[in-house]
Amino acid sequence: MNSMAINLAPRCFHIHPFKSSVGKLRRRQKQRVLVVITSAATTTKTTSMANMSSQMKDMRASMEEDEQLSVLMRGLRGQGMNEDDFAAADTQMRLLDFSSSAAVGDELPLAYDPELIDQYWSKRPGLVAQRALQLLGVSAGFIFNIVSDIVLKRTKEKEVERACEIREIVTSLGPAYIKLGQALAIRPDILSPAAMNELQKLCDKVPAFDNAVAMRTITEELGQSPHEIYDNLTPDPIAAASLGQVYRGTLRATGEDVAVKVQRPNVLETVTVDLYVLRRVGMALRDVPQINTDIVALLDEWAMRFFEELDYVHEGANATKFAKQMEKDLPQVVVPRTFPTYTSRRVLTSSWLDGEKLSQSTADDVGALVKLGVICYLKQLLDTGFFHADPHPGNLIRTPDGRLAILDFGLMTDVSDDIKFGMIEAIAHLIHRDYEAIVEDFVTLQFIPSGVDLKPILPVLARVFDQALDGGGAKNINFQELSADLAQITFDYPFRIPPYFALIIRAISVLEGIALVGDSDFALVDEAFPYLAKRLLTDDTPRLRAALKYMIYGKSESFDVDRMIDLLEALESFNKDSTSSQGDLASPSPALLPAPPSAASSASSTIVPLPNTPFNFLIPSFTPPQLFQPPQASVSLTSQSQSARDALTFILSPEGVLFRELLLEELVKGIDALSRDQVRALVVSLGLGDARVPVLLPGALRPLALAPHMTLEDQVIIANTNKLIKFLSGTTNTSQFTPESAQLLLSLSPFVPNVAQQILPEVASRLSGRVFARFIKEVFVDNGAINRRPLTMR
């Protein structure tokens, strides 16, 4: 499999604004994209993620009040997309008759090779000239209208009308132009919102081709007649698209219902002759001084991916790989099974899936499926790096049993580790307003080419984000001023939207659009942040461990307990959402099934199924077997307590080992501060607050205070520790031992021996080191060298 890697991202057009009005249009398009990116990023301002949902809703409402941004958002969500199964009755495609094209004796390449394609079509000048005249005839009227609009200065008022003409022209020109139009329909940096909106309506459905030709193709490709392979094959296709059409039948070998996709005849010839003509046009445009981007290179990169979609073996392998990546963590995501024996380059046999388009479903569980969809796409983007590159509402299905099915794996994109980690790092930098790091993130994420001097952009970028972040949230953002600042950035710097990011925006926007139909309060951040928290808290790669530390400590390396609680709460949300929408699954994936409790010896291991938690952990059995059974609830825990215990369970579990290591120093500080605070309280209560104990050691400068000194830093540590304890225990009273506390300790007892063995020696070592260092300071160091502010005696 040879999916196109992200680092081959095509470059956007960069046209000098003083040389062409197209340059002004390009900057306006790019700044609209930047408004979307910046607006989404600014919702990360507040310390507590709980406030981000309302900010996101305010931001969305503010953006939709702007006409251009509103059109852009509707387009990205695919809300105007044509989802018909067949083309309109009057649809006609202007194609060539290729019956004589093979007379020369050579063949077209099956993998994209522009040189071989040039050699093939240069021997057929008659067909090329015929196609060129055909293209010119179809587009001549449109070109004349565009020139007239510019001369008469009516481009704005005619924008929608011209966009409709583009859609009709593209539909009539066949597969290559339809697919190119669909690719451009998610590129707000290249097209205006009106043009995007119209191309969203672009129907990939065309008139069906002759059934006899389809049956003959099956025989040629699979070596058997259709009736030898399938039973009950529908006499006519159930859907027809630009590249192929689909039949339904039953696989005779297994009795399973299947979908049989058959490629349209002469697709390879149709596509390559158009690519040949377009490349010739691109080469001619290289001599136009106003265009400083290699259009031929951009076209080649798009064509490379398009050729992958022409290979159904490749599509079937993509689906199999995708399903394998999802089966452990998201077994409720359904992917049609490919039957390799009955699949070839031009015929794809896959399992039939009943269901309805998620965007058209009125079921009560659509909201839960959207959450699952967000997790699924984030897993592709930030974990597997194998991203579904054709996200639109028609490819997301709700199965009858309430699961999420994803279809169409012809186009997949590989996301490099650098991009995956870079996006997570950028989110952490945005949260802490680390603008210097954000500028570097733009380079990492391919928004700005490497080698560009970033120093001048920093003040402009800081001003943009500060305007959006400071005071009043989204309602106080002036989008006109924001656009002006962004226009300056796009004017001065080669800003571009990498293709992978356009796909991300589209995928997430489609899911948001579906969710908003049934839930106007839907906030994407509520669904995206939990997955991010899961990755940060459990991934052991050095870059993500550094990102987790940065998320909690920030640039100043000051521990933020609220941020840590946000992450733990988000993790709990992820565990809930990722196990929802199971449908009629008879049982979870074997990887998720707990082993039955074992009464083996203490050296054995067993899986511990904790009640109402998503974790099943492998834990050495150091305690009697009955402690591994779910405790019988003699006391009902509140939902808050139960939720908090899930976070605590994670911290103590093997999966939380990285998190424990990160917070070990904070644990030592907390134990130290709390213990000294309790000693101080006891001593003061006995009236010995001013008492001192002589130190009979050489060099001692003063006696040791019986009541430990408490600094402001100690008080902050105590406040943070108490806040964390309250969150994890789910109680507001941490000073009394209650029945709920007893049950909590009982449910966590299986983890205690293993965790104690891992961390107690290190905690004891660090704690003793702190105590010894403090003793030296207080007894042997001159007072002037001690930098602390003692608190007033209680």
Side-chain angles (χ1 to χ4, degrees), residues 142 158-172 192 194-199 201-202:
F142 174 76
K158 292 289 185 177
E159 185 179 25
V160 175
E161 183 178 339
R162 299 295 170 252
C164 293
E165 292 176 6
I166 291 176
R167 173 171 51 83
E168 293 170 358
I169 290 172
V170 167
T171 301
S172 69
S192 68
M196 273 186 60
N197 198 44
E198 283 302 318
L199 286 182
K201 302 175 185 177
L202 185 64

Side-chain angles (χ1 to χ4, degrees), residues 62-357:
S62 299
M63 291 172 64
E64 290 178 351
E65 290 175 2
D66 182 282
E67 181 181 356
Q68 292 289 313
L69 287 175
S70 179
V71 172
L72 174 61
M73 296 305 293
R74 287 198 302 272
L76 289 172
R77 291 170 184 161
Q79 292 175 329
M81 179 169 287
N82 188 320
E83 298 183 48
D84 296 337
D85 292 326
F86 289 92
D90 58 349
T91 300
Q92 293 184 349
M93 288 198 301
R94 294 172 172 83
L95 302 175
L96 297 179
D97 180 6
F98 296 100
S99 57
S100 62
S101 64
V104 180
D106 52 353
E107 295 182 352
L108 283 165
L110 298 181
Y112 183 65
D113 188 326
E115 292 185 4
L116 292 179
I117 292 173
D118 283 353
Q119 292 175 15
Y120 183 91
W121 287 111
S122 63
K123 298 176 183 178
R124 297 162 175 80
L127 285 172
V128 173
Q130 185 180 348
R131 183 56 170 171
L133 290 173
Q134 201 174 59
L135 296 175
L136 184 61
V138 171
S139 59
F142 174 76
I143 295 173
F144 176 79
N145 289 337
I146 289 292
V147 173
S148 299
D149 292 342
I150 294 174
V151 172
L152 299 175
K153 298 181 179 180
R154 60 181 187 184
T155 54
K156 179 65 178 177
E157 59 209 69
K158 292 289 185 177
E159 185 179 25
V160 175
E161 183 178 339
R162 299 295 170 252
C164 293
E165 292 176 6
I166 291 176
R167 173 171 51 83
E168 293 170 358
I169 290 172
V170 167
T171 301
S172 69
L173 291 178
Y177 290 91
I178 291 174
K179 291 296 182 180
L180 182 59
Q182 290 176 327
L184 292 175
I186 61 172
R187 294 303 299 264
D189 56 318
I190 296 177
L191 296 180
S192 68
M196 273 186 60
N197 198 44
E198 283 302 318
L199 286 182
Q200 289 287 331
K201 302 175 185 177
L202 185 64
C203 188
D204 187 34
K205 309 304 184 292
V206 296
F209 61 90
D210 189 0
N211 290 317
V213 175
M215 298 302 108
R216 187 164 60 250
T217 299
I218 293 176
T219 301
E220 292 172 355
E221 290 290 311
L222 302 183
Q224 301 179 66
S225 70
H227 297 295
E228 291 179 292
I229 302 173
Y230 312 104
D231 284 329
N232 306 318
L233 200 64
T234 53
D236 295 307
I238 58 175
S242 60
L243 297 184
Q245 57 196 38
V246 179
Y247 298 83
R248 181 176 182 177
T250 303
L251 193 61
R252 297 189 67 179
T254 66
E256 297 174 74
D257 287 343
V258 292
V260 183
K261 183 160 68 170
V262 185
Q263 194 169 104
R264 185 173 293 274
N266 299 320
V267 165
L268 194 60
E269 290 82 358
T270 301
V271 168
T272 53
V273 70
D274 285 337
L275 290 173
Y276 177 81
V277 173
L278 289 172
R279 287 187 93 253
R280 293 283 174 163
V281 173
M283 290 177 182
L285 291 176
R286 282 175 171 171
D287 298 327
V288 178
Q290 286 84 1
I291 300 178
N292 58 11
T293 294
D294 189 348
I295 297 176
V296 174
L298 188 151
L299 183 65
D300 285 343
E301 290 173 359
W302 171 78
M304 187 185 302
R305 297 179 62 194
F306 186 27
F307 259 64
E308 293 177 357
E309 197 171 5
L310 298 177
D311 185 355
Y312 289 169
V313 173
H314 176 80
E315 179 176 345
N318 284 345
T320 301
K321 178 179 178 180
F322 184 90
K324 185 70 175 176
Q325 291 174 340
M326 294 295 135
E327 68 178 357
K328 180 179 179 181
D329 295 331
L330 299 175
Q332 65 272 52
V333 172
V334 182
V335 177
R337 174 190 170 195
T338 299
F339 295 89
T341 304
Y342 306 103
T343 295
S344 69
R345 181 176 177 81
R346 295 195 295 154
V347 176
L348 173 63
T349 303
S350 58
S351 57
W352 178 266
L353 289 180
D354 289 314
E356 57 183 341
K357 293 175 182 177

Side-chain angles (χ1 to χ4, degrees), residues 68 527 560 606 638 767:
Q68 292 289 313
E527 318 312 327
D560 189 335
T606 186
T638 64
L767 188 59

